[in-house]
Amino acid sequence: MSLCFSFNAFAPQSPKSQSYKTQFTSPFTSPSRSFKFSRERFKLVRALATKPAETAVSASFGSKNSKDINVLIVGSTGYIGKFVVKELVNRGFNVLAVARERSGIRSKTSKEDTLNDLQGAASVCFSDVTNLETLEKSFQNLGFPIDVVVSCLASRSEAEEDDGFTYSIVRPTAFFKSLGGQVELVKDGKPHVMFGDGKLCAYKPISEQDLASFIGDCVLSEDKINQVLPIGGPGKALTPSEQGEILFKLLGKEPKFLKVPIGIMDFAIGILDFLVKIFPSMEDAAEFGKIGRYYAAESMLVLDPETGECSAEKTPSYGKDTF
């Protein structure tokens, strides 16, 4: 069985009776909220497999047709998950999407909404991936084996051991969605906001479609087995200042920038961390503040071990969609 994990994602591929210990960390990790793929986590993955690893298919899917491969996707209703479902269906895989009966932000997406979004593209199973007992019951009478699990659940820190699964861990460096929030503001004539001088960091953003395609490649590509795979989009790495220049040029507007000292964000995060101690319900807001701080000042590129610096040249590129 193979595991493929994305966004710091994880996917099982084929059974090899080897163990591994791999660590992968999200740039947004908070030490107080670490998330481990421990032995308990792999029990959850095993619950998705409808036959033991030792009786599963051969160690490689390279010789199989996609129509003969059953792929289970968790996190199927999320930002990237929806694109991964469509990509794998389009490639001819038999896709089973796992979803909560109410999903999305504040559980606004109903069961009917999910069925409308995914039916016709994939079979849908409503369950709870955070509850092992519930998940096992959901798959008791599935009737066919699961060959590959693709997880588009957001992870918080490291993966540990697999006890017999091959894997691919996909680490997208930055998303278009994360960097494109200012497009509408600039269209409305507002300034492009950036921190410091706008050159504190650089990104190689990858589109949702291109990332889903790369994750799809991981299912059958033997050169991606048992690998941690950072990936960015095509083209050069861009600083926030360069992104702003491109936006203004495309819109035919005179460049107008608002430069905000990074210390303001640090101050706001400090306030939020203090308020969380009094109002625990604000924990998500504090976490989003840290994520925003990371995007504002840290280059989301591969770290060059020789120089200790983030390197655009070391960051692999994939896809066709450019910023």
Side-chain angles (χ1 to χ4, degrees):
M1 185 181 183
S2 161
L3 297 169
C4 188
F5 296 83
S6 164
F7 313 137
N8 286 345
F10 208 4
Q13 280 158 13
S14 54
K16 287 191 175 179
S17 56
Q18 60 183 25
S19 62
Y20 77 95
K21 184 174 183 179
T22 300
Q23 294 193 338
F24 62 107
T25 306
S26 163
F28 315 138
T29 297
S30 167
S32 63
R33 299 184 65 188
S34 63
F35 177 91
K36 294 186 177 182
F37 281 92
S38 61
R39 188 170 299 276
E40 289 301 312
R41 278 284 158 184
F42 282 103
K43 285 181 181 177
L44 183 151
V45 172
R46 279 206 184 81
L48 305 178
T50 54
K51 58 181 176 181
E54 61 267 24
T55 63
V57 295
S58 63
S60 170
F61 291 138
S63 60
K64 297 187 72 173
N65 293 320
S66 57
K67 65 181 179 62
D68 298 320
I69 298 174
N70 300 318
V71 181
L72 185 144
I73 301 177
V74 293
S76 60
T77 60
Y79 168 53
I80 296 300
K82 292 178 181 177
F83 288 90
V84 174
V85 169
K86 292 177 183 177
E87 176 68 24
L88 294 183
V89 167
N90 289 339
R91 293 191 184 203
F93 293 101
N94 302 314
V95 176
L96 177 62
V98 179
R100 291 173 293 166
E101 293 199 2
R102 297 203 68 86
S103 60
I105 298 174
R106 304 187 198 285
S107 299
K108 288 182 178 179
T109 304
S110 69
K111 184 176 180 178
E112 290 71 26
D113 293 333
T114 298
L115 287 172
N116 289 334
D117 285 343
L118 298 180
Q119 261 187 348
S123 301
V124 181
C125 172
F126 290 98
S127 190
D128 182 359
V129 298
T130 66
N131 186 307
L132 181 58
E133 183 179 353
T134 299
L135 196 62
E136 287 176 332
K137 288 180 180 178
S138 299
F139 291 97
Q140 277 179 349
N141 301 310
L142 193 57
F144 55 85
I146 296 298
D147 301 306
V148 180
V149 174
V150 178
S151 172
C152 295
L153 300 173
S155 58
R156 289 292 178 185
S157 63
E158 68 261 12
E160 292 188 348
E161 55 187 291
D162 77 338
D163 280 345
F165 296 110
T166 62
Y167 65 91
S168 300
I169 298 174
V170 181
R171 282 180 167 175
T173 57
F175 300 124
F176 275 8
K177 180 181 179 181
S178 303
L179 305 179
Q182 297 194 73
V183 174
E184 293 303 319
L185 294 176
V186 171
K187 282 183 178 179
D188 291 340
K190 295 180 174 61
H192 184 276
V193 180
M194 55 191 185
F195 290 88
D197 61 358
K199 300 177 182 179
L200 295 174
C201 52
Y203 323 109
K204 294 179 74 171
I206 187 168
S207 70
E208 301 92 339
Q209 293 89 344
D210 285 342
L211 178 57
S213 178
F214 183 80
I215 292 171
D217 291 349
C218 292
V219 175
L220 292 177
S221 298
E222 292 191 24
D223 62 347
K224 293 178 174 59
I225 288 177
N226 294 349
Q227 303 261 356
V228 177
L229 302 163
I231 194 68
K236 62 167 287 190
L238 298 171
T239 65
S241 177
E242 290 171 321
Q243 294 165 31
E245 293 286 355
I246 291 172
L247 275 178
F248 285 116
K249 184 176 180 179
L250 289 173
L251 295 171
K253 293 180 177 289
E254 189 70 23
K256 184 167 54 174
F257 294 96
L258 175 61
K259 299 179 180 180
V260 180
I262 194 68
I264 290 179
M265 184 167 279
D266 292 333
F267 178 77
I269 290 171
I271 295 294
L272 286 170
D273 282 342
F274 173 76
L275 291 175
V276 164
K277 297 175 183 178
I278 305 170
F279 307 105
S281 61
M282 295 187 67
E283 186 175 15
D284 284 344
E287 187 73 3
F288 282 125
K290 293 181 177 70
I291 292 172
R293 171 63 169 81
Y294 179 86
Y295 271 95
E298 302 291 336
S299 290
M300 285 170 278
L301 301 169
V302 170
L303 194 68
D304 186 336
E306 294 182 2
T307 65
E309 300 290 334
C310 291
S311 169
E313 290 72 28
K314 295 283 186 182
T315 303
S317 296
Y318 181 92
K320 300 176 182 178
D321 298 332
T322 60
F323 181 80

